[in-house]
């Protein structure tokens, strides 16, 4: 149980285009989902916290107009990187927390974005 | 400030030997502590957690961790390492239940040689 999926797993795009990444909790409901960014050989950097039905809370230094987050249902959150640039190339990981109040976060497999 | 520290960037162990990956925490109140493992180009997989109760927590793949309040540590251990255990390991804490954001350590790369 507690499986989180991400789609796509890899994406290559041209500079200036927008890319949408989906995060789904497959076998549980998640009131809260998190989006992280990970640079090579570094730990995860929290970008934003997404609660179902409300606006995401962004961490300091993360541009909310650049990284659009939508959490429309208890099983789906999306991250859209708008007008992507090469510096946005990174490994993006989502996680979801079970709605029942348990504290464990379950992570998706990650999406590697390469902007040319 | 709430934090977790992983003092070793890399740990090298021979297959079959016991392994320890260190983690110390600095959290006010009673901490929730976690270990996650990350394989190359993959997301994090949950290994185990401590919330309350027995200080020795058993998790996936034969791993266990011991919560030590006096030393503020939560070291990850395994009695006999496998080459397949080679990965990046993250210690994490959730300072308060449900409302707060999980805080990750910097990660420790575990390398098991045959």
């Amino acid at each position: 149980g507690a499986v989180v999926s991400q789609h796509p797993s890899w994406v290559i795009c041209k500079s200036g285009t927008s890319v949408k990444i989906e995060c789904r909790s497959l076998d549980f409901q998640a009131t809260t989902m998190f989006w992280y960014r990970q640079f090579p050989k570094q730990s995860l950097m929290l970008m934003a916290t997404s609660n179902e039905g409300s606006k995401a809370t962004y961490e300091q230094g993360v541009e909310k107009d650049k990284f659009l987050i939508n959490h429309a249902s208890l099983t789906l959150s999306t991250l859209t990187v708008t007008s992507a640039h090469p510096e946005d190339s990174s490994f993006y990981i989502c996680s979801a927390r079970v709605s029942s109040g348990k504290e464990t976060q379950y992570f998706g497999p990650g999406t590697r974005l390469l902007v040319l | 400030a709430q934090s977790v520290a992983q003092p070793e960037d890399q740990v090298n162990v021979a297959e079959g030997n016991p392994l320890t990956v260190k983690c110390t925490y600095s959290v006010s109140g009673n901490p929730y502590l976690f270990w996650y493992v990350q394989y190359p180009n993959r997301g994090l997989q949950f290994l185990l957690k401590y919330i309350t109760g027995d200080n020795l927590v058993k998790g996936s793949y034969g791993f266990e961790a011991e919560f030590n309040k006096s030393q503020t540590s939560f070291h990850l251990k395994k009695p006999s390492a496998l080459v397949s255990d080679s990965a990046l390991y993250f210690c994490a804490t959730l300072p308060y239940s449900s409302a707060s954001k999980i805080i990750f350590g910097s990660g420790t790369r575990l390398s098991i040689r045959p």
Side-chain angles (χ1 to χ4, degrees):
Chain A
V3 178
V4 177
S5 70
Q6 276 183 247
H7 178 79
S9 55
W10 276 89
V11 58
I12 301 174
C13 68
K14 293 181 179 180
S15 184
T17 61
S18 294
V19 175
K20 180 185 283 189
I21 302 171
E22 291 186 350
C23 176
R24 293 181 185 272
S25 57
L26 298 185
D27 52 1
F28 66 97
Q29 292 185 327
T31 50
T32 306
M33 289 185 169
F34 304 85
W35 286 96
Y36 295 84
R37 185 172 179 177
Q38 186 180 30
F39 294 100
K41 299 184 179 181
Q42 292 189 28
S43 188
L44 280 69
M45 181 192 78
L46 180 64
M47 298 174 66
T49 302
S50 167
N51 290 297
E52 185 263 340
S54 61
K55 291 183 178 180
T57 302
Y58 290 82
E59 295 301 299
Q60 191 173 9
V62 178
E63 299 175 59
K64 61 181 180 181
D65 295 330
K66 173 76 171 176
F67 299 99
L68 299 178
I69 292 173
N70 183 276
H71 191 165
S73 77
L74 286 171
T75 59
L76 173 64
S77 176
T78 60
L79 168 68
T80 301
V81 183
T82 62
S83 187
H85 291 282
E87 57 266 29
D88 298 325
S89 299
S90 191
F91 193 53
Y92 293 88
I93 304 174
C94 74
S95 72
R97 191 159 60 196
V98 178
S99 299
S100 64
K102 296 179 181 178
E103 299 77 12
T104 302
Q105 285 184 33
Y106 296 93
F107 287 78
T111 297
R112 186 160 300 282
L113 170 64
L114 177 62
V115 184
L116 302 177
Chain B
Q2 323 282 4
S3 65
V4 289
Q6 294 179 245
E8 303 155 316
D9 291 337
Q10 174 119 10
V11 171
N12 300 307
V13 177
E15 187 176 27
N17 283 0
L19 69 87
T20 299
V21 183
K22 295 179 180 178
C23 173
T24 58
Y25 64 89
S26 175
V27 177
S28 58
N30 295 320
Y32 290 23
L33 296 163
F34 304 84
W35 275 101
Y36 288 88
V37 59
Q38 185 180 32
Y39 296 99
N41 296 310
R42 300 297 301 275
L44 274 65
Q45 293 181 31
F46 170 75
L47 279 180
L48 51 82
K49 69 179 177 183
Y50 171 83
I51 295 178
T52 187
D54 194 347
N55 288 345
L56 185 63
V57 180
K58 294 187 183 296
S60 306
Y61 312 120
F63 283 93
E64 59 186 29
E66 185 169 11
F67 172 68
N68 188 317
K69 190 171 184 178
S70 63
Q71 296 184 5
T72 62
S73 67
F74 189 57
H75 301 331
L76 181 69
K77 299 182 180 183
K78 186 172 182 179
S80 179
L82 300 173
V83 173
S84 57
D85 292 330
S86 299
L88 187 58
Y89 290 79
F90 289 100
C91 182
T93 185
L94 191 64
Y96 303 101
S97 95
S98 71
S100 293
K101 297 167 288 192
I102 197 167
I103 298 170
F104 286 95
S106 55
T108 298
R109 186 162 299 281
L110 178 63
S111 178
I112 309 299
R113 60 184 183 274

